[in-house]
Amino acid sequence: MIINNKDNNNHWKRKNGQIYIAISDNGEGVPENSHEKIFEVFHKEKDNSSGFGLGLHISKKICCHMGGDLVIDSEYKLGARFIMSFAFDKISTSRDS
């Protein structure tokens, strides 16, 4: 998926009633054999990580609850890139109030 509008390493676009946001870094990336496991609750890629293995799991649940998803971009090779999607009609803005 190509996402055009650029703000630092974060990109977004709106298409077919969905908003897509891509967030990337230039670290070592996520091993391909872990792409599905990283969204499991309490999964930590490294044993010495200070996290609890909840962040990606909770983030994916929130995205799904909002009619979208959170996936890792398996084609991105310059670090890790995650793509969040949300159903546009489930997002309220300050102008909606």
Side-chain angles (χ1 to χ4, degrees), residues 79-94:
R81 177 164 56 191
F82 294 88
I83 300 174
M84 298 182 289
S85 61
F86 307 96
F88 186 68
D89 63 346
K90 295 198 180 230
I91 299 173
S92 70
T93 65
S94 58

Side-chain angles (χ1 to χ4, degrees), residues 25-83:
D25 67 22
N26 60 356
E28 61 189 61
V30 178
E32 197 166 327
N33 63 345
S34 295
H35 283 191
E36 292 299 318
K37 292 187 274 186
I38 59 172
F39 296 104
E40 294 174 4
V41 67
F42 301 123
H43 177 79
K44 293 176 18 172
E45 198 55 34
K46 297 178 182 172
D47 289 335
N48 63 352
S49 170
S50 61
F52 291 99
L54 294 172
L56 287 172
H57 176 77
I58 292 170
S59 298
K60 186 172 180 81
K61 291 278 189 190
I62 291 169
C63 291
C64 291
H65 182 71
M66 295 180 69
D69 202 358
L70 174 63
V71 297
I72 188 165
D73 183 350
S74 60
E75 295 178 13
Y76 190 75
K77 302 299 181 202
L78 303 174
R81 177 164 56 191
F82 294 88
I83 300 174

Side-chain angles (χ1 to χ4, degrees), residues 3-29:
I3 298 180
N4 295 329
N5 302 326
K6 185 175 180 184
D7 176 22
N8 296 327
N9 287 333
N10 307 321
H11 307 268
W12 65 274
K13 78 174 185 177
R14 183 167 38 164
K15 180 179 178 184
N16 299 330
Q18 294 278 115
I19 292 178
Y20 297 90
I21 302 170
I23 300 173
S24 59
D25 67 22
N26 60 356
E28 61 189 61

